[in-house]
Amino acid sequence: GKKIYGREHEVALLSESYQRISLHKISEVFFLGGAVGVGKTHLLKQLQEQMLKNHACFCAGKFDQLECSQPFEAIIDILDIICHSLSQTDDLELVRKRLRLKCGGDLDYLMSQVPKLRCLIGESDVNDATSTMRLCSRFKSACRRFLKAVTEIHGPIVILFDDLDFSDQDSLFVIQSLMSDKSLKHVLLIATYQDDTVKRKIMNTGKGQEIKWKMNHLDIVPLRIGFIRSYVSYLTGVD
């Protein structure tokens, strides 16, 4: 992979967070702030490359400014990636049985929303009374139950929500719901944003929905000129 310059500290903090959620029965959230073009994406690519080498499950969903009216799109993208990862498991039938056991009726509901989950379970026809509606309350509980099952089957997972600024309100409610569930363990949730407003919004939970996970905050600032010179030298081969 490409060498990283000037972001070693940030990568180390994120890696340490992943180690904690892997070794202990906890989950953490990392709020990663910074202006457009400051290097958040490059930093996370480095982190992803590092974690994939360690066989971590790294799944990312991006909130799109043009599609911000579509509820849960980034979350469904993430669930699709998790399902693809589970489909690579040696004993697929065991995975299906355990998901059925752990998720119950919520699995049918999620299959009506998540295309790759239908492929994973091996069912094309899903009959669910709410299949045509992504009801926020049902989606929240189903996601929590599904992720609990996944971490028990697969182990620790990293979930990246990119560009949280463009998220829909229902998606924010789901993310809040995940972070308020102390029984959901071995998850590192990373959320990137440009404006502090969305971070304050997601932390402003209602009664009974207080965030239970350890929270980390990191602001990505422009690199100092020395790091930029070193990077240019690395790219060009000229000192």
Side-chain angles (χ1 to χ4, degrees):
K2 292 179 180 177
K3 187 173 180 180
I4 190 166
Y5 281 87
R7 301 298 187 199
E8 295 86 354
H9 175 65
E10 290 88 341
V11 170
L13 289 175
L14 287 159
S15 299
E16 286 165 12
S17 182
Y18 178 72
Q19 289 300 317
R20 287 193 296 270
I21 67 105
S22 299
L23 296 172
H24 307 290
K25 293 180 178 180
I26 59 169
S27 288
E28 296 192 10
V29 58
F30 229 108
F31 290 109
L32 207 62
V36 175
V38 81
K40 298 189 297 294
T41 300
H42 182 61
L43 166 64
L44 291 167
K45 281 182 179 175
Q46 293 292 321
L47 181 72
Q48 181 178 10
E49 188 176 299
Q50 183 177 311
M51 289 184 170
L52 289 176
K53 284 180 183 174
N54 296 323
H55 309 291
C57 180
F58 191 106
C59 37
K62 186 179 180 70
F63 289 106
D64 193 322
Q65 187 174 13
L66 300 176
E67 296 181 9
C68 57
S69 61
Q70 297 296 318
F72 310 133
E73 284 300 303
I75 298 173
I76 288 170
D77 287 345
I78 282 169
L79 296 178
D80 270 341
I81 294 169
I82 291 172
C83 290
H84 175 73
S85 183
L86 289 174
S87 72
Q88 309 302 304
T89 310
D90 291 336
D91 194 341
L92 193 53
E93 198 51 47
L94 181 61
V95 168
R96 289 168 174 163
K97 285 179 181 176
R98 291 181 72 177
L99 284 174
R100 276 276 178 214
L101 180 66
K102 298 287 183 182
C103 298
D106 280 331
L107 196 65
D108 287 320
Y109 171 71
L110 277 181
M111 278 194 288
S112 72
Q113 310 296 332
V114 183
K116 282 196 170 58
L117 182 56
R118 293 196 290 273
C119 298
L120 174 67
I121 301 300
E123 295 181 18
S124 55
D125 297 321
V126 180
N127 295 313
D128 187 276
T130 54
S131 64
T132 58
M133 296 179 289
R134 292 176 183 171
L135 301 174
C136 190
S137 58
R138 180 77 188 271
F139 197 73
K140 282 194 298 187
S141 62
C143 282
R144 289 200 311 270
R145 206 168 170 188
F146 179 72
L147 288 175
K148 284 177 193 175
V150 169
T151 55
E152 289 180 23
I153 295 167
H154 195 285
I157 58 174
V158 182
I159 294 174
L160 166 62
F161 288 112
D162 200 8
D163 283 339
L164 203 63
D165 308 77
F166 306 127
S167 58
D168 56 282
Q169 188 61 54
D170 283 344
S171 290
L172 287 182
F173 286 147
V174 173
I175 295 169
Q176 283 177 331
S177 173
L178 296 177
M179 296 189 300
S180 68
D181 190 343
K182 202 169 184 178
S183 67
L184 178 51
K185 302 175 177 69
H186 304 302
V187 177
L188 171 58
L189 191 155
I190 304 170
T192 76
Y193 61 91
Q194 300 166 32
D195 189 333
D196 263 358
T197 305
V198 72
K199 184 178 78 170
R200 290 196 297 271
K201 189 186 291 185
I202 205 169
M203 291 173 65
N204 185 24
T205 58
K207 191 175 181 182
Q209 286 286 311
E210 295 84 3
I211 294 174
K212 304 290 195 336
W213 296 4
K214 173 180 167 61
M215 285 189 287
N216 307 276
H217 307 268
L218 187 59
D219 288 322
I220 306 299
V221 297
L223 288 173
R224 295 195 299 275
I225 190 67
F227 288 121
I228 295 171
R229 284 174 179 153
S230 297
Y231 188 52
V232 171
S233 174
Y234 164 71
L235 290 175
T236 61
V238 178
D239 290 333

